[in-house]
Amino acid sequence: MAEYKILITGPMGAGKSTAISAVSEIGVVSTDVKNSDLAQSQKATTTVAMDYGQISLGNGDQLRIYGTPGQERFDFMWSILSRGALGLIILLDSTRPQPLADLNKFLDGFAPLIKETGAVIGVSNKPGGPSIDAYYEVLAARDMMLPLFEVDVRKKEDVLLMVDALLSVLEIR
Amino acid sequence: MDANNSKAIAAICQAALDKLHTDNTGILAALIASADGFNLAAIQSDISDERLAAMTSAMHALGEQIVKEVDLQKCHNVMIEAAVGKVLMLNIPGSKDGLIMTAVANEAMVFGSLLFACRQCATQIGEKLAASRL
């Protein structure tokens, strides 16, 4: 039985904890505490260390999914959680003030992991935010080709779609 | 926590940390962090308060999860013994917002003294916050 580790990241409020809860077959290990930074996000709680969930892949293999905190002051957790990860899912929320800048921030923050492994991007796209093309333009400007999906992270099938895409990307590499 | 409350909490924490520092020469740095990793008050030192506050929150949250996993009810403190010193992270009892204190001590200060001094400081902060209904 093999065990694989992937990471989910993205800005505060993008739905990282929700995505892991949507697919995990075990009770999610979460480190949510009361959020005092209401300027960043109106959420009642925020993840300060990590989320952890598991999915069985059908052939006996296990996929371990770790979620990172979204705020940059927790970037020390980004490098800790990146160790041994096979790939990265970046979640974005189009209703945040600057979702394209968010994408650049996480591409920069996880550049070593993305370079060594692979990444896919999931955008929770609501009216009023940038077009999907705008996210592709950010990637093109960096000479990057990454799978990008519009997702609702509350839906198990949407999260599994990103996981499948990531595993496919990793198989090709 | 609103801005006025936040200032009042910071003032109580700062006074207690200053006393802790004066009374214990082995303590090199100390701060009080919010549960979500913001620095509220700190002893002046060369250490980055912002980063240490975020680390305090992450470490304490992991401590809570480990305690929950092994069914030991509640995490009171997390201790780290290093090559040339110690770090102690402990919750402020009774604080409504789940404040956490971190203290860094040199190798000359024994763990018992560090724990005693920090517990006393944390208890005093908790009592003052409760008295001020913060």
Side-chain angles (χ1 to χ4, degrees), chain B residues 17-59:
Chain B
L17 288 183
D18 288 342
K19 183 171 182 328
L20 177 76
H21 196 207
T22 311
D23 293 349
N24 297 276
T25 51
I27 291 181
L28 306 174
L31 60 79
I32 307 289
S34 65
D36 61 342
F38 286 103
N39 177 37
L40 300 179
I43 289 171
Q44 288 291 319
S45 77
D46 295 336
I47 294 167
S48 162
D49 302 335
E50 268 60 43
R51 281 185 70 77
L52 190 58
M55 289 175 173
T56 296
S57 140
M59 196 70 185

Tab-separated table of all heavy atoms in Angstrom, chain B residues 17-59:
chain	number	residue	atom	x	y	z
B	17	LEU	N	4.365	41.339	31.084
B	17	LEU	CA	5.597	40.850	30.431
B	17	LEU	C	6.815	41.628	30.922
B	17	LEU	O	7.890	41.047	31.132
B	17	LEU	CB	5.484	40.987	28.909
B	17	LEU	CG	4.542	40.032	28.181
B	17	LEU	CD1	4.611	40.275	26.678
B	17	LEU	CD2	4.872	38.570	28.480
B	18	ASP	N	6.650	42.937	31.088
B	18	ASP	CA	7.776	43.758	31.562
B	18	ASP	C	8.218	43.298	32.952
B	18	ASP	O	9.406	43.205	33.243
B	18	ASP	CB	7.389	45.241	31.578
B	18	ASP	CG	7.282	45.817	30.162
B	18	ASP	OD1	7.830	45.175	29.229
B	18	ASP	OD2	6.643	46.866	29.982
B	19	LYS	N	7.237	42.985	33.803
B	19	LYS	CA	7.566	42.504	35.154
B	19	LYS	C	8.267	41.135	35.070
B	19	LYS	O	9.266	40.892	35.750
B	19	LYS	CB	6.290	42.399	35.999
B	19	LYS	CG	6.573	41.981	37.439
B	19	LYS	CD	5.345	42.093	38.307
B	19	LYS	CE	5.595	41.734	39.771
B	19	LYS	NZ	6.584	40.735	40.063
B	20	LEU	N	7.748	40.269	34.207
B	20	LEU	CA	8.352	38.934	34.026
B	20	LEU	C	9.827	39.069	33.628
B	20	LEU	O	10.699	38.365	34.141
B	20	LEU	CB	7.585	38.179	32.925
B	20	LEU	CG	8.108	36.791	32.553
B	20	LEU	CD1	7.725	35.770	33.615
B	20	LEU	CD2	7.545	36.344	31.193
B	21	HIS	N	10.090	40.015	32.735
B	21	HIS	CA	11.444	40.220	32.229
B	21	HIS	C	12.367	40.766	33.314
B	21	HIS	O	13.501	40.313	33.485
B	21	HIS	CB	11.387	41.188	31.040
B	21	HIS	CG	12.622	41.174	30.210
B	21	HIS	ND1	13.019	42.267	29.482
B	21	HIS	CD2	13.548	40.221	29.989
B	21	HIS	CE1	14.142	41.977	28.854
B	21	HIS	NE2	14.480	40.741	29.139
B	22	THR	N	11.839	41.736	34.085
B	22	THR	CA	12.631	42.336	35.168
B	22	THR	C	12.974	41.292	36.236
B	22	THR	O	14.093	41.256	36.755
B	22	THR	CB	11.821	43.481	35.843
B	22	THR	OG1	11.329	44.315	34.806
B	22	THR	CG2	12.661	44.286	36.792
B	23	ASP	N	11.998	40.439	36.544
B	23	ASP	CA	12.181	39.465	37.626
B	23	ASP	C	13.019	38.245	37.211
B	23	ASP	O	13.471	37.494	38.070
B	23	ASP	CB	10.810	38.942	38.115
B	23	ASP	CG	10.002	40.036	38.795
B	23	ASP	OD1	10.579	41.098	39.070
B	23	ASP	OD2	8.790	39.828	39.027
B	24	ASN	N	13.139	38.014	35.902
B	24	ASN	CA	13.810	36.789	35.434
B	24	ASN	C	14.835	37.126	34.346
B	24	ASN	O	14.482	37.281	33.179
B	24	ASN	CB	12.783	35.805	34.855
B	24	ASN	CG	11.791	35.348	35.897
B	24	ASN	OD1	12.053	34.426	36.654
B	24	ASN	ND2	10.644	36.022	35.945
B	25	THR	N	16.104	37.207	34.756
B	25	THR	CA	17.127	37.605	33.797
B	25	THR	C	17.366	36.529	32.733
B	25	THR	O	17.913	36.813	31.675
B	25	THR	CB	18.461	37.893	34.522
B	25	THR	OG1	18.737	36.763	35.363
B	25	THR	CG2	18.391	39.157	35.359
B	26	GLY	N	16.938	35.300	33.020
B	26	GLY	CA	17.136	34.223	32.048
B	26	GLY	C	16.162	34.281	30.882
B	26	GLY	O	16.345	33.587	29.881
B	27	ILE	N	15.117	35.087	31.015
B	27	ILE	CA	14.139	35.172	29.918
B	27	ILE	C	14.628	36.185	28.886
B	27	ILE	O	14.828	37.364	29.184
B	27	ILE	CB	12.733	35.516	30.461
B	27	ILE	CG1	12.214	34.312	31.262
B	27	ILE	CG2	11.776	35.867	29.322
B	27	ILE	CD1	10.839	34.475	31.852
B	28	LEU	N	14.842	35.700	27.681
B	28	LEU	CA	15.427	36.528	26.625
B	28	LEU	C	14.360	37.252	25.817
B	28	LEU	O	14.590	38.332	25.282
B	28	LEU	CB	16.240	35.647	25.665
B	28	LEU	CG	17.310	34.756	26.301
B	28	LEU	CD1	17.923	33.840	25.258
B	28	LEU	CD2	18.380	35.609	26.962
B	29	ALA	N	13.205	36.616	25.659
B	29	ALA	CA	12.128	37.203	24.865
B	29	ALA	C	10.815	36.618	25.344
B	29	ALA	O	10.780	35.490	25.855
B	29	ALA	CB	12.319	36.892	23.381
B	30	ALA	N	9.758	37.387	25.192
B	30	ALA	CA	8.430	36.869	25.536
B	30	ALA	C	7.390	37.701	24.813
B	30	ALA	O	7.619	38.886	24.528
B	30	ALA	CB	8.190	36.919	27.045
B	31	LEU	N	6.285	37.077	24.467
B	31	LEU	CA	5.203	37.818	23.819
B	31	LEU	C	3.862	37.183	24.130
B	31	LEU	O	3.793	36.045	24.601
B	31	LEU	CB	5.418	37.898	22.302
B	31	LEU	CG	5.497	36.616	21.481
B	31	LEU	CD1	4.136	36.021	21.201
B	31	LEU	CD2	6.184	36.914	20.150
B	32	ILE	N	2.819	37.944	23.860
B	32	ILE	CA	1.451	37.428	23.970
B	32	ILE	C	0.847	37.492	22.567
B	32	ILE	O	0.866	38.553	21.929
B	32	ILE	CB	0.577	38.278	24.928
B	32	ILE	CG1	1.237	38.461	26.289
B	32	ILE	CG2	-0.829	37.663	25.044
B	32	ILE	CD1	1.291	37.246	27.167
B	33	ALA	N	0.333	36.354	22.101
B	33	ALA	CA	-0.247	36.292	20.759
B	33	ALA	C	-1.740	35.994	20.852
B	33	ALA	O	-2.200	35.339	21.792
B	33	ALA	CB	0.442	35.193	19.951
B	34	SER	N	-2.472	36.484	19.848
B	34	SER	CA	-3.887	36.096	19.756
B	34	SER	C	-3.939	34.659	19.248
B	34	SER	O	-2.950	34.134	18.718
B	34	SER	CB	-4.623	37.020	18.787
B	34	SER	OG	-4.117	36.857	17.486
B	35	ALA	N	-5.095	34.015	19.385
B	35	ALA	CA	-5.218	32.620	18.952
B	35	ALA	C	-4.889	32.478	17.468
B	35	ALA	O	-4.375	31.441	17.041
B	35	ALA	CB	-6.629	32.116	19.226
B	36	ASP	N	-5.156	33.531	16.689
B	36	ASP	CA	-4.862	33.442	15.255
B	36	ASP	C	-3.531	34.108	14.879
B	36	ASP	O	-3.319	34.481	13.725
B	36	ASP	CB	-6.026	33.962	14.403
B	36	ASP	CG	-6.349	35.417	14.655
B	36	ASP	OD1	-5.935	35.949	15.712
B	36	ASP	OD2	-7.012	36.043	13.805
B	37	GLY	N	-2.655	34.245	15.845
B	37	GLY	CA	-1.261	34.544	15.517
B	37	GLY	C	-0.852	35.988	15.361
B	37	GLY	O	0.137	36.284	14.702
B	38	PHE	N	-1.597	36.920	15.985
B	38	PHE	CA	-1.145	38.310	15.962
B	38	PHE	C	-0.450	38.646	17.268
B	38	PHE	O	-0.898	38.226	18.345
B	38	PHE	CB	-2.329	39.268	15.759
B	38	PHE	CG	-2.850	39.267	14.354
B	38	PHE	CD1	-4.019	38.597	14.042
B	38	PHE	CD2	-2.160	39.914	13.345
B	38	PHE	CE1	-4.496	38.574	12.742
B	38	PHE	CE2	-2.624	39.904	12.042
B	38	PHE	CZ	-3.795	39.236	11.734
B	39	ASN	N	0.626	39.435	17.159
B	39	ASN	CA	1.370	39.831	18.347
B	39	ASN	C	0.642	40.966	19.060
B	39	ASN	O	0.353	41.988	18.453
B	39	ASN	CB	2.766	40.292	17.901
B	39	ASN	CG	3.586	40.801	19.048
B	39	ASN	OD1	3.505	40.268	20.143
B	39	ASN	ND2	4.355	41.843	18.812
B	40	LEU	N	0.331	40.795	20.338
B	40	LEU	CA	-0.393	41.830	21.088
B	40	LEU	C	0.537	42.630	21.996
B	40	LEU	O	0.304	43.797	22.255
B	40	LEU	CB	-1.495	41.187	21.937
B	40	LEU	CG	-2.562	40.398	21.180
B	40	LEU	CD1	-3.567	39.807	22.150
B	40	LEU	CD2	-3.274	41.279	20.171
B	41	ALA	N	1.567	41.966	22.537
B	41	ALA	CA	2.514	42.648	23.418
B	41	ALA	C	3.786	41.816	23.443
B	41	ALA	O	3.722	40.594	23.315
B	41	ALA	CB	1.948	42.764	24.822
B	42	ALA	N	4.938	42.490	23.580
B	42	ALA	CA	6.196	41.739	23.572
B	42	ALA	C	7.268	42.465	24.352
B	42	ALA	O	7.261	43.694	24.422
B	42	ALA	CB	6.667	41.518	22.140
B	43	ILE	N	8.177	41.690	24.918
B	43	ILE	CA	9.397	42.245	25.507
B	43	ILE	C	10.313	42.607	24.339
B	43	ILE	O	10.401	41.852	23.368
B	43	ILE	CB	10.085	41.167	26.391
B	43	ILE	CG1	9.268	40.919	27.647
B	43	ILE	CG2	11.502	41.576	26.734
B	43	ILE	CD1	9.767	39.721	28.445
B	44	GLN	N	10.953	43.740	24.436
B	44	GLN	CA	11.882	44.159	23.383
B	44	GLN	C	12.998	43.126	23.216
B	44	GLN	O	13.612	42.718	24.198
B	44	GLN	CB	12.531	45.497	23.766
B	44	GLN	CG	11.584	46.677	23.673
B	44	GLN	CD	11.218	47.005	22.240
B	44	GLN	OE1	12.059	46.980	21.361
B	44	GLN	NE2	9.946	47.273	21.989
B	45	SER	N	13.206	42.678	21.995
B	45	SER	CA	14.311	41.748	21.743
B	45	SER	C	14.631	41.768	20.251
B	45	SER	O	13.974	42.464	19.481
B	45	SER	CB	13.930	40.324	22.166
B	45	SER	OG	13.088	39.750	21.195
B	46	ASP	N	15.642	40.999	19.866
B	46	ASP	CA	16.029	40.967	18.446
B	46	ASP	C	15.155	39.997	17.651
B	46	ASP	O	15.266	39.910	16.438
B	46	ASP	CB	17.499	40.511	18.320
B	46	ASP	CG	18.435	41.525	18.942
B	46	ASP	OD1	18.040	42.705	19.030
B	46	ASP	OD2	19.538	41.127	19.359
B	47	ILE	N	14.321	39.254	18.362
B	47	ILE	CA	13.503	38.239	17.692
B	47	ILE	C	12.307	38.904	17.014
B	47	ILE	O	11.734	39.855	17.550
B	47	ILE	CB	13.032	37.192	18.740
B	47	ILE	CG1	14.254	36.423	19.259
B	47	ILE	CG2	11.984	36.250	18.180
B	47	ILE	CD1	14.004	35.601	20.487
B	48	SER	N	11.928	38.409	15.819
B	48	SER	CA	10.779	38.962	15.111
B	48	SER	C	9.491	38.573	15.828
B	48	SER	O	9.093	37.416	15.842
B	48	SER	CB	10.745	38.440	13.668
B	48	SER	OG	9.452	38.638	13.140
B	49	ASP	N	8.838	39.569	16.438
B	49	ASP	CA	7.619	39.292	17.202
B	49	ASP	C	6.514	38.751	16.304
B	49	ASP	O	5.750	37.899	16.705
B	49	ASP	CB	7.109	40.578	17.865
B	49	ASP	CG	8.141	41.204	18.772
B	49	ASP	OD1	9.002	40.462	19.259
B	49	ASP	OD2	8.078	42.423	18.983
B	50	GLU	N	6.432	39.313	15.084
B	50	GLU	CA	5.328	38.925	14.199
B	50	GLU	C	5.424	37.442	13.833
B	50	GLU	O	4.450	36.718	13.876
B	50	GLU	CB	5.338	39.787	12.925
B	50	GLU	CG	4.474	41.042	13.027
B	50	GLU	CD	4.906	41.971	14.145
B	50	GLU	OE1	6.128	42.176	14.295
B	50	GLU	OE2	4.032	42.470	14.874
B	51	ARG	N	6.617	37.009	13.463
B	51	ARG	CA	6.790	35.603	13.073
B	51	ARG	C	6.613	34.672	14.271
B	51	ARG	O	5.959	33.647	14.178
B	51	ARG	CB	8.168	35.385	12.435
B	51	ARG	CG	8.227	35.843	10.998
B	51	ARG	CD	9.550	35.513	10.369
B	51	ARG	NE	9.754	34.084	10.146
B	51	ARG	CZ	9.194	33.397	9.156
B	51	ARG	NH1	8.371	33.990	8.331
B	51	ARG	NH2	9.444	32.125	9.007
B	52	LEU	N	7.194	35.071	15.404
B	52	LEU	CA	7.084	34.211	16.585
B	52	LEU	C	5.625	34.114	17.051
B	52	LEU	O	5.187	33.052	17.506
B	52	LEU	CB	7.991	34.732	17.709
B	52	LEU	CG	8.158	33.796	18.898
B	52	LEU	CD1	8.722	32.442	18.484
B	52	LEU	CD2	9.065	34.413	19.966
B	53	ALA	N	4.865	35.205	16.896
B	53	ALA	CA	3.444	35.171	17.287
B	53	ALA	C	2.683	34.184	16.400
B	53	ALA	O	1.863	33.398	16.888
B	53	ALA	CB	2.836	36.572	17.185
B	54	ALA	N	2.960	34.206	15.094
B	54	ALA	CA	2.283	33.281	14.175
B	54	ALA	C	2.679	31.838	14.505
B	54	ALA	O	1.835	30.932	14.529
B	54	ALA	CB	2.643	33.622	12.730
B	55	MET	N	3.961	31.628	14.787
B	55	MET	CA	4.431	30.281	15.129
B	55	MET	C	3.806	29.801	16.442
B	55	MET	O	3.468	28.617	16.594
B	55	MET	CB	5.955	30.258	15.246
B	55	MET	CG	6.637	30.397	13.905
B	55	MET	SD	8.411	30.522	14.080
B	55	MET	CE	8.899	30.452	12.365
B	56	THR	N	3.662	30.722	17.386
B	56	THR	CA	3.040	30.403	18.672
B	56	THR	C	1.638	29.863	18.458
B	56	THR	O	1.236	28.834	19.023
B	56	THR	CB	2.984	31.679	19.552
B	56	THR	OG1	4.321	32.082	19.838
B	56	THR	CG2	2.216	31.458	20.834
B	57	SER	N	0.888	30.568	17.615
B	57	SER	CA	-0.489	30.159	17.363
B	57	SER	C	-0.547	28.790	16.681
B	57	SER	O	-1.344	27.923	17.057
B	57	SER	CB	-1.150	31.261	16.531
B	57	SER	OG	-1.958	30.775	15.554
B	58	ALA	N	0.331	28.569	15.697
B	58	ALA	CA	0.339	27.284	14.968
B	58	ALA	C	0.734	26.142	15.904
B	58	ALA	O	0.096	25.085	15.928
B	58	ALA	CB	1.315	27.369	13.792
B	59	MET	N	1.772	26.376	16.698
B	59	MET	CA	2.274	25.332	17.591
B	59	MET	C	1.232	24.978	18.644
B	59	MET	O	1.006	23.801	18.949
B	59	MET	CB	3.547	25.859	18.276
B	59	MET	CG	4.370	24.817	18.918
B	59	MET	SD	5.144	23.798	17.665
B	59	MET	CE	5.901	22.579	18.691
